[in-house]
Amino acid sequence: MHTEDLSAWTHQHVFDAGSAAAERGTRLVMWITAATMVVEIAAGWWFNSMALLADGWHMSSHAVAIGLSALAYAAARRYAADPRFAFGTWKVEVLGGFASAIFLLGVALMMVVGSVERIVSPQPIQYREAVVVAVLGLAVNVVCALILGRAHRHDHGHAHAHGHEHGHTGNLHHDLNLRSAYLHVIADAATSVLAIVALVGGWLYGWSWLDPTMGIVGAILVANWARGLIVDTGKALLDREMDHPVVEEIRAAVETGAAEGQTRITDLHVWRVGKKAYSCALTVVTHDGSLTPDAVRRRLAVHEEIVHSTIEIHVCADAGRAPARPVPLTSRATAARRSSASGSAAPR
């Protein structure tokens, strides 16, 4: 029976610290949006205003989507230490962002349908009332955007205080779930601005066609934003990271640490496990009979974003000893880069 203390070789699979400020901000924005929705629907029913009712139900879609983002933060935090999640729960947040982006596409589709209906069958517009509604919606969305922007700046500053980010990875390290909530707010603000322009044009110059036209322009803008978010969240969910610069950095760190041509990576897998964290699994073929997994990890330690590594070493027959049977050894690169006690593969 193994009686030694194994704590030095074990670790938790929590690779992302979460985002408390983003969670609080998203939850607050959800309640503000929901409250505005209720007020607009109630006022529309009381004053018999279709403009108020339409904007209220439109805001309900944003409230639900932002609520999904808030729920994703809460779920990721709740299950962060659950061992059933092999690489942590960060992708729960990404999944929330993906679902929110799909919702945003639905909003764009609703905008197109509504605008086409207005073109085919024009309806009288109560311009004064509609402008008030659009201005109210814009004001609410500006407040919400400021709240979410503040949450982003708080987490960005926190990241700089506790670690170093390489310049080429800044955009990819953004909180995709927070970005999805922010896009819903910005999309609603943009459509409010377009609506104000259209309503003022119709009110002052009788350009009734401008309202549905601006609706279609807004829908195209929203759909384009949603597409970008779907692409970025989809990459993270499907582990499409092999075109990221960190891949070549791993190769350079491992292959240039010894005499040229002595060590080569023959198999490499890299995937994201957090906003600023990557895991990798690699197979190395080397002529250096003294090369160990710990030595490879020390070479990788210059890249702080690599937080977990699985290393397999094959020693060539002419390296001064018999060919080795590969034994995968896994360790987590901790903040202190604690070395794991591991050896190279046993000879055949």
Side-chain angles (χ1 to χ4, degrees):
M1 178 182 294
H2 208 299
T3 58
E4 293 183 23
D5 181 11
L6 300 179
S7 60
W9 295 276
T10 61
H11 58 267
Q12 285 189 331
H13 291 172
V14 180
F15 303 110
D16 190 88
S19 182
E23 182 178 352
R24 288 194 303 270
T26 304
R27 191 165 55 240
L28 178 58
V29 166
M30 176 194 70
W31 288 119
I32 292 174
T33 305
T36 306
M37 172 199 75
V38 171
V39 169
E40 287 191 345
I41 291 175
W45 177 79
W46 183 261
F47 296 113
N48 196 29
S49 168
M50 283 304 300
L52 281 169
L53 283 171
D55 197 63
W57 287 116
H58 173 73
M59 289 196 79
S60 70
S61 63
H62 290 293
V64 171
I66 295 170
L68 283 175
S69 294
L71 180 63
Y73 279 124
R77 173 173 47 80
R78 179 178 179 182
Y79 296 104
D82 192 326
R84 292 176 296 177
F85 294 90
F87 287 97
T89 56
W90 171 70
K91 285 188 178 178
V92 174
E93 296 180 13
V94 181
L95 185 61
F98 181 83
S100 190
I102 297 297
F103 231 95
L104 201 58
L105 274 183
V107 170
L109 180 61
M110 289 168 57
M111 291 170 65
V112 170
V113 171
S115 297
V116 171
E117 286 180 350
R118 289 298 181 93
I119 292 174
V120 174
S121 179
Q123 300 292 327
I125 300 174
Q126 298 176 347
Y127 288 107
R128 186 190 303 273
E129 194 174 64
V131 167
V132 170
V133 173
V135 170
L136 173 63
L138 179 60
V140 170
N141 285 305
V142 168
V143 170
C144 292
L146 290 173
I147 292 171
L148 294 178
R150 184 175 170 185
H152 168 70
R153 288 191 298 273
H154 178 277
D155 287 328
H156 188 66
H158 184 78
H160 275 288
H162 290 82
H164 173 68
E165 286 187 39
H166 295 289
H168 62 255
T169 57
N171 290 335
L172 292 178
H173 286 169
H174 286 168
D175 187 330
L176 294 172
N177 195 33
L178 181 64
R179 177 180 159 194
S180 69
Y182 192 77
L183 276 183
H184 272 276
V185 170
I186 293 300
D188 209 19
T191 55
S192 293
V193 170
L194 292 174
I196 291 170
V197 171
L199 290 169
V200 170
W203 191 2
L204 297 180
Y205 304 106
W207 297 342
S208 58
W209 52 269
L210 196 57
D211 184 59
T213 301
M214 285 298 188
I216 293 175
V217 171
I220 294 172
L221 187 64
V222 170
N224 187 54
W225 288 340
R227 176 186 170 277
L229 183 58
I230 288 172
V231 169
D232 288 343
T233 53
K235 285 180 182 179
L237 290 172
L238 297 175
D239 294 326
R240 209 213 81 175
E241 303 291 348
M242 295 306 293
D243 57 346
H244 192 277
V246 73
V247 175
E248 291 307 313
E249 290 179 353
I250 291 172
R251 289 190 182 277
V254 174
E255 295 182 350
T256 61
E260 185 176 354
Q262 196 172 34
T263 300
R264 286 287 181 268
I265 293 178
T266 58
D267 191 25
L268 176 61
H269 303 271
V270 179
W271 62 99
R272 285 177 72 184
V273 292
K275 290 185 285 294
K276 300 178 288 293
Y278 292 82
S279 179
C280 67
L282 59 144
T283 299
V284 173
V285 174
T286 182
H287 290 277
D288 182 0
S290 64
L291 186 66
T292 65
D294 276 340
V296 174
R297 271 180 217 107
R298 284 192 292 271
R299 297 178 188 180
L300 293 174
V302 295
H303 301 294
E304 295 178 357
E305 65 269 38
I306 302 169
V307 297
H308 192 280
S309 60
T310 301
I311 300 164
E312 182 179 284
I313 296 178
H314 294 248
V315 180
C316 297
D318 59 353
R321 70 180 191 185
R325 177 180 290 108
V327 178
L329 296 166
T330 306
S331 75
R332 182 180 175 217
T334 62
R337 296 293 173 184
R338 182 179 65 227
S339 295
S340 299
S342 55
S344 47
R348 294 182 185 273

